């Protein structure tokens, strides 16, 4: 549409210092995101519950206490943002989809509509679409995806379906594989906008590379209004199934439990 031509040019032409407002900045990936963002000369506002969890300091970083479930508290920060980014994680649930992903998406949507802001980027995870589970190994599908993180993925999926109904947001949902603590690389990402996993890619990716990609995708015209899975090439020696499961379960609990 005509609007998206104008919008694309605006994002592609971003120059000077722009302000990022980051939710979930106290989580492992969120901390890496804010560090990389200030290194790229962004002005960053981190919205947190517990400021002491952020020990990193920089002249371009502001840490603010904010209840992201209270739109009155959230609105002033949205008003100042050029781009809003979320690395939020929430406690696991066992019988119903985790509701907070949808609630936050709805709150941001209303605040952004009020302020006329459009660009928002969320970090979710591989396999948010239940149809994609058939492509996972038997063990991953029937233990990890079903018993452990299934309701978190379902909550993410509800927020993705909600975002698709909006007409005022230029959103990107970035879906990485299982997260590791490896350092950032310059590895080229493989991406897909048609699946919620990336065939032929490793089931592991470093948080630092996910943060790098989330910043890289800000001006990416092709990412607007997309649910985009990302991955890195599979290592020749293979992922190692039990190591993979152990790391994914440990890292998911660290990343997706209370990173607000």
């Amino acid at each position: 549409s005509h609007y998206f031509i104008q919008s694309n040019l605006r994002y592609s032409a971003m120059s000077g210092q722009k302000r990022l407002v980051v939710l979930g900045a106290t989580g492992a990936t969120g901390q890496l995101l804010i560090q990389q963002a200030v290194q790229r000369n962004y002005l960053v506002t981190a919205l947190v519950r517990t400021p002491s969890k952020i020990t990193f300091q920089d002249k371009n970083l502001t840490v603010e206490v904010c209840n992201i479930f209270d739109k009155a508290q959230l609105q002033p920060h949205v008003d100042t943002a050029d781009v809003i980014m979320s690395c939020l994680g929430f406690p696991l649930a066992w019988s119903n989809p985790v509701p907070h992903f949808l609630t936050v998406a709805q709150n941001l949507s209303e605040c952004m509509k009020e302020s006329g802001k459009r660009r928002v980027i969320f970090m979710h995870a591989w396999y948010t679409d239940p149809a994609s589970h058939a492509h996972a190994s038997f063990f991953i599908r029937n233990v990890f995806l079903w018993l452990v993180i299934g309701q978190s993925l379902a909550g993410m999926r509800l927020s993705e379906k909600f975002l698709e109904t909006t007409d005022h947001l230029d959103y990107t949902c970035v879906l990485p594989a299982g997260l590791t603590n490896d350092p950032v690389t310059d590895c080229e990402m493989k991406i897909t906008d048609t699946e919620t996993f990336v065939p032929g890619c490793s089931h592991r990716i470093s948080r630092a590379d996910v943060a790098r990609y989330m910043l890289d995708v800000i001006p990416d015209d092709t990412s607007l209004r997309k649910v985009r899975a990302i991955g890195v090439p599979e290592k020749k020696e293979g992922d190692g199934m039990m190591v993979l499961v152990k790391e994914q379960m440990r890292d998911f609990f660290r990343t997706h439990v209370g990173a607000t």
Side-chain angles (χ1 to χ4, degrees):
S1 68
H2 178 64
Y3 165 74
F4 282 113
I5 292 174
Q6 292 182 325
S7 174
N8 293 349
L9 290 174
R10 182 172 72 250
Y11 296 130
S12 299
M14 274 190 171
S15 60
Q17 280 192 302
K18 299 296 180 179
R19 181 167 297 279
L20 306 186
V21 170
V22 180
L23 286 62
T26 60
T29 307
Q31 299 240 18
L32 293 168
L33 179 68
I34 63 175
Q35 291 177 33
Q36 291 186 28
V38 297
Q39 290 170 3
R40 298 192 190 198
N41 201 38
Y42 284 105
L43 296 171
V44 178
T45 299
L47 304 185
V48 303
R49 289 183 305 181
T50 311
S52 60
K53 289 185 177 181
I54 296 184
T55 57
F56 170 74
Q57 294 182 344
D58 189 273
K59 63 182 177 62
N60 286 338
L61 173 64
T62 302
V63 180
E64 297 278 2
V65 175
C66 179
N67 178 2
I68 58 175
F69 298 105
D70 182 342
K71 285 180 286 186
Q73 290 189 36
L74 189 58
Q75 186 71 62
H77 300 294
V78 171
D79 291 344
T80 68
D82 293 296
V83 181
I84 298 165
M85 310 190 83
S86 172
C87 295
L88 286 167
F90 299 103
L92 300 174
W94 309 110
S95 58
N96 295 294
V98 174
H100 308 305
F101 295 104
L102 175 59
T103 301
V104 169
Q106 291 172 329
N107 283 355
L108 284 174
S109 174
E110 292 182 26
C111 289
M112 293 176 75
K113 190 170 187 177
E114 176 71 22
S115 63
K117 303 301 174 70
R118 299 188 63 100
R119 190 69 171 120
V120 58
I121 299 171
F122 298 89
M123 183 185 76
H124 284 174
W126 271 18
Y127 299 120
T128 54
D129 182 358
S132 68
H133 295 187
H135 298 278
S137 69
F138 178 86
F139 188 82
I140 292 290
R141 181 174 67 250
N142 291 286
V143 176
F144 189 64
L145 298 182
W146 182 50
L147 291 177
V148 181
I149 67 169
Q151 297 301 343
S152 291
L153 295 175
M156 293 174 187
R157 189 59 174 172
L158 288 176
S159 72
E160 291 166 5
K161 301 305 287 185
F162 164 75
L163 291 168
E164 290 176 359
T165 70
T166 66
D167 61 4
H168 62 281
L169 296 178
D170 290 338
Y171 66 85
T172 305
C173 296
V174 176
L175 281 53
L179 300 170
T180 75
N181 294 319
D182 293 336
V184 67
T185 72
D186 59 359
C187 179
E188 183 178 354
M189 297 286 179
K190 292 188 175 182
I191 64 171
T192 177
D193 298 330
T194 60
E195 300 279 1
T196 58
F197 73 105
V198 187
C201 278
S202 171
H203 282 74
R204 290 178 285 181
I205 187 172
S206 75
R207 291 183 176 86
D209 277 339
V210 175
R212 169 175 66 88
Y213 184 80
M214 290 179 70
L215 293 169
D216 287 346
V217 86
I218 290 173
D220 180 355
D221 303 346
T222 70
S223 75
L224 301 183
R225 300 187 61 81
K226 296 290 178 60
V227 175
R228 173 168 289 182
I230 65 172
V232 295
E234 209 163 2
K235 296 179 180 179
K236 291 182 180 179
E237 62 268 26
D239 282 334
M241 182 57 67
M242 294 312 297
V243 173
L244 166 64
V245 173
K246 181 179 178 180
E247 288 187 357
Q248 283 191 324
M249 293 183 71
R250 178 197 65 201
D251 293 334
F252 192 91
F253 275 93
R254 286 180 180 174
T255 303
H256 293 286
V257 177
T260 58

